[in-house]
Amino acid sequence: MLIADDDDGFLRSLHELIDRQPELNVIGAAANGLEAIELAERLGPDAVVLDLHMPLLDGVTAAARLRRDHPSVCLIALTGDEAPALHRAVREAGADEVLLKNELVEGLLERLGAARAKN
């Protein structure tokens, strides 16, 4: 999977969390939405987990582009922003799920496990 977040400490923690799961593997990490799109083109991940507030290209715009270019990818938006309008916008852009960062551990692993079971 590919992960994207502009908070370097959070990105490292997320990477470590995912890598501890024997059935999951991080193949790339991006610091912004544009880099996430570029890495997805090069690496072809099965799943992308991206923050919604990132520089250069926000998560909603990146999600729309990722969904268009990679229609079968599992796309999970991750945010600390509880605004319902933002969550609705990223779902409309193509995200399979929106998780609050404080719900990360439980929800992300459950959703990624379900996506892996489909493949």
Side-chain angles (χ1 to χ4, degrees):
M1 87 183 46
L2 172 66
I3 56 176
D5 198 299
D6 62 322
D7 180 331
D8 189 53
F10 185 82
L11 190 64
R12 278 195 313 271
S13 296
L14 180 60
H15 194 294
E16 290 172 13
L17 172 68
I18 293 168
D19 277 349
R20 284 190 204 124
Q21 308 312 307
E23 70 279 3
L24 301 175
N25 184 34
V26 175
I27 62 170
N32 60 66
L34 186 58
E35 186 180 7
I37 289 168
E38 291 168 350
L39 284 173
E41 286 301 313
R42 280 203 330 260
L43 303 173
D46 294 326
V48 178
V49 177
L50 73 158
D51 185 25
L52 294 183
H53 294 294
M54 293 186 290
L56 298 183
L57 195 63
D58 66 273
V60 175
T61 305
R65 175 83 181 272
L66 288 163
R67 178 56 67 215
R68 185 193 75 200
D69 295 347
H70 307 277
S72 64
V73 74
C74 176
L75 186 55
I76 299 175
L78 195 55
T79 186
D81 192 330
E82 295 185 24
L86 179 63
H87 294 203
R88 194 169 36 257
V90 76
R91 281 193 177 96
E92 289 171 1
D96 294 304
E97 189 65 68
V98 180
L99 299 173
L100 292 172
K101 287 184 177 181
N102 61 2
E103 299 171 343
L104 172 68
V105 175
E106 182 179 325
L108 179 62
L109 296 179
E110 179 181 313
R111 181 69 175 113
L112 291 172
R116 180 161 168 71
K118 285 185 201 178
N119 294 331

